[in-house]
Structures are given as structure tokens and as C-alpha cells.
Amino acid sequence: GDIEPALASFRQAIEINPAHVDSQYALATSGKVALPPEQLSYIAELAEAEDLSLDNKTKLNFALGAQADRKKLSAPAITFYAKGNLARRVLLESRGEGFDPDAQAGLAVRIAETCQASFFRERTGWGVESDVPVFIVGMPRSGTTLVEKILASHPDVAGAGERPNIQAIVRELETGERAGALYPEALSSLSEPDIGKIAAADLEAFTEAGEGARRVVDKLPVNFMYLGLIALIYPNARIIHCKRDPRDTALSCYFQNFVHSHAWSCDLGHIGVYYNTYMEMMGHWRKVLPLPILDVNYEDVVKDQEHMSRRMIDFIGLDWDPACLDFHTSDGA
């Protein structure tokens, strides 16, 4: 998070080697720098090199897209982002990480069929009674990081970041010793002791990440697909659902070269499929999930941070602390 020295280092690296793609990319996408025309021309020429890897082609086009968007040049921006996303999509598909819209939509249907209200009623009291876990879910780029930073500025709250633990539990159910069904059908085969064992192990990881905090926040957005499992293992968990205008959300995802694959974000049509699936899932959970869900609109947080911050702190069962208003001064990236 030490921005100025970082930018100086990128500039120095580019002076040494202008073709150093990672430095050009980092400088251009920092949100802090408007590159001069001659540097942009060089990056554009470099992006068309025949021997350029798909990863570097992606980065350079995202760099050009970010710079055009910064200057509010909409047509060049969307053109560069389209080129970058196409290269990224081909790269991910070559790794076997492509997005299957039919499979995504089908998974949502299967989750809804398995995780009915009766499913949870029959398993009342399972898992662990801890009120430590707080899960932030929603679409990427919907304010999940902002919400986590506000919460984690409270002295009794720790932010654990985007924990992969819930997804790891799902993978273990599908491929481990007791494998025999896919998620979510695998949930039906779990006994109360099974859920208790899973819950105890994950709670230990939670508390270690939080270093004894009264609440620990997991902000992996895609956990909206796994709220059924979360409800089984943590019957006292709190769910904060981050929402943002769908157009802003979609474009922000399309303009983001995600560290994790998020293969759906490489294509505007796929973003639409993924977004609709997400909305269908959240609609289902509101009907059947035995956990409280607080909807938090990104726009409302920006407009009236104190009001929304107080709502969130109250929702997770803590007393208000004004440190939440100074989240931007806390340590960490």
C-alpha cells in the first residue's frame, strides 16, 4: 500500500527495460498515473508483437484500456478491454478454466432443488454455535472490500480476506474419501457428526485468522453459491450481501484482469449469465436460508457511510465504534 515508492520503482524498471510488461501494466492500471502519448504508443505497438504471450497481451491491452478509460475515451477503452478479455479467455480455456454458462445455470437450479426450507429444518441445531463468522457475499466489484475494511476497523473485528476454505470443503466433499456425489447433492449424505467435524475444523481456521477477535470476516464473493453449506456449519453466522448497480458491476468486472480466473468476466454475455445466476441464488436464499442476510448497497455506503456502517455493526451484534469511519487510515493494502 505504499503507492509513491511503488510507482517510482515501476518507472525505474521501465527506464531499464521499456518492454517489461508487468511494470508497464502496473503503472498504467495504478489509477494514479496518466501516461504520456509516446508511452501509450509504445505499449500499443508492444501489444501487437507476434511473439507476445497471451498473458502479456492481456495485460498490455488492459493497461491501454485503463488509460483510455481514465481519459473518458469510451470507444478506445472498450476496444482495448475487448482485446484484452479475448486474449484472457483464450488463455483460460487453454488451461481448462473456461466458463460454461449452461453448467453455471444448472448448478444454481440443483442448489435450489436440494437446499429447500425443509432441508434446513431437518438439520436444525447442526454445526457449531459460534457467532464469530461473518460472510460478505455478492458479485466481485460490488463493494465487498470496502465493507470488509469498514468492519475490520472495529476493534472487535478482524478481516480474513477472501478465504478459500468453503470452496475447499466443497472440493473435499466431491473428491475426498467420502466422495460419491457432486455439490450440492453431496450435502444430503452428510450426517450431524460429519457437519460437526467440518465446522470445528473451519472454525479453528477462522479463529486463527482473526487472532481472537469477536467477529471474523470472510469476504469471498462467490460464497453466495455455498450459503447452504455455510448455514449447516454455522447456524449463527451473519451474511452481508453487497449490491451495486448491475451496469457498474458488469463493466467493472469486464475492466478487471482478475488474479483469480473468474472466466465468466471475459465476455459480456457470460457476465450477464453469471449475474442472473447470482440474482436467482440470492432470491432463493432469502426464501429458505435460516440465516439473517443484510443487503448493503454500495451506492448507499458511498452516500452515507456512517449510517450504513452503524447498520452493519449493529447487524453483526457489536456496539458502535467511531474507528469504523476511519477505515482508510488502518494498516494494510
Side-chain angles (χ1 to χ4, degrees), residues 248-293:
D248 284 332
T249 305
L251 274 184
S252 191
C253 289
Y254 195 63
F255 290 3
Q256 186 75 14
N257 183 20
F258 287 105
V259 174
H260 304 296
S261 60
H262 293 315
W264 52 268
S265 69
C266 301
D267 180 277
L268 290 171
H270 287 174
I271 291 174
V273 170
Y274 189 87
Y275 189 91
N276 285 336
T277 299
Y278 141 72
M279 289 295 288
E280 289 166 5
M281 285 282 23
M282 291 309 302
H284 174 72
W285 295 132
R286 285 191 191 91
K287 295 175 184 176
V288 306
L289 201 73
L291 295 178
I293 300 175

Side-chain angles (χ1 to χ4, degrees), residues 67-83:
Q67 287 291 301
D69 188 43
R70 180 183 177 86
K71 296 181 174 72
K72 301 190 183 301
L73 301 173
S74 302
I78 199 71
T79 299
F80 287 127
Y81 279 125
K83 286 184 178 180

Side-chain angles (χ1 to χ4, degrees), residues 20-323:
H20 192 255
V21 170
D22 284 343
S23 294
Q24 293 280 15
Y25 171 73
L27 194 63
T29 60
S30 66
K32 304 290 185 182
V33 177
L35 299 183
E38 60 272 17
Q39 189 170 353
L40 291 172
S41 295
Y42 177 81
I43 294 174
E45 184 178 339
L46 189 62
E48 297 300 322
E50 290 185 4
D51 59 346
L52 195 66
S53 70
L54 285 170
D55 183 47
N56 283 340
K57 192 176 188 67
T58 298
K59 288 177 178 175
L60 291 176
N61 277 289
F62 270 82
L64 293 165
Q67 287 291 301
D69 188 43
R70 180 183 177 86
K71 296 181 174 72
K72 301 190 183 301
L73 301 173
S74 302
I78 199 71
T79 299
F80 287 127
Y81 279 125
K83 286 184 178 180
N85 274 298
L86 177 58
R88 187 167 178 269
R89 179 177 177 177
V90 173
L91 176 63
L92 291 173
E93 288 176 349
S94 72
R95 297 175 179 171
E97 300 174 18
F99 178 68
D100 184 340
D102 292 333
Q104 179 74 7
L107 175 59
V109 170
R110 289 168 41 229
I111 291 173
E113 289 174 347
T114 297
C115 297
Q116 296 286 333
S118 58
F119 176 85
F120 296 111
R121 282 197 301 270
E122 293 165 2
R123 292 160 176 80
T124 300
W126 290 22
V128 293
E129 293 294 318
S130 174
D131 57 4
V132 168
V134 177
F135 292 87
I136 298 174
V137 302
M139 286 287 290
R141 314 296 295 168
S142 64
T144 56
T145 301
L146 173 61
V147 167
E148 184 203 32
K149 290 293 286 184
I150 291 171
L151 295 177
S153 296
H154 192 288
D156 292 331
V157 181
E162 297 187 354
R163 298 170 69 247
N165 302 52
I166 298 299
Q167 287 181 308
I169 292 170
V170 171
R171 283 195 298 272
E172 176 64 21
L173 291 177
E174 293 182 330
T175 63
E177 293 181 3
R178 301 180 72 258
L182 297 177
Y183 180 84
E185 291 82 5
L187 296 180
S188 299
S189 67
L190 296 175
S191 65
E192 184 173 357
D194 292 333
I195 291 294
K197 184 178 179 180
I198 292 170
D202 192 61
L203 181 61
E204 183 178 355
F206 241 125
T207 52
E208 285 180 3
E211 299 180 344
R214 291 177 62 191
R215 303 287 184 272
V216 183
V217 181
D218 178 331
K219 60 148 295 229
L220 187 67
V222 75
N223 277 336
F224 71 80
M225 296 294 289
Y226 309 116
L227 290 180
L229 171 60
I230 289 169
L232 290 182
I233 62 179
Y234 294 124
N236 290 331
R238 275 84 161 181
I239 310 298
I240 294 179
H241 171 214
C242 288
K243 301 170 66 178
R244 185 184 182 190
D245 186 292
R247 297 162 298 182
D248 284 332
T249 305
L251 274 184
S252 191
C253 289
Y254 195 63
F255 290 3
Q256 186 75 14
N257 183 20
F258 287 105
V259 174
H260 304 296
S261 60
H262 293 315
W264 52 268
S265 69
C266 301
D267 180 277
L268 290 171
H270 287 174
I271 291 174
V273 170
Y274 189 87
Y275 189 91
N276 285 336
T277 299
Y278 141 72
M279 289 295 288
E280 289 166 5
M281 285 282 23
M282 291 309 302
H284 174 72
W285 295 132
R286 285 191 191 91
K287 295 175 184 176
V288 306
L289 201 73
L291 295 178
I293 300 175
L294 177 67
D295 288 332
V296 174
N297 291 320
Y298 172 77
E299 293 83 0
D300 293 340
V301 178
V302 173
K303 182 179 179 181
D304 189 351
Q305 189 217 322
E306 181 172 353
H307 173 70
M308 293 304 298
S309 298
R310 286 179 176 273
R311 280 191 66 196
M312 292 188 289
I313 294 300
D314 181 65
F315 177 72
I316 65 173
L318 298 176
D319 293 329
W320 171 248
D321 193 291

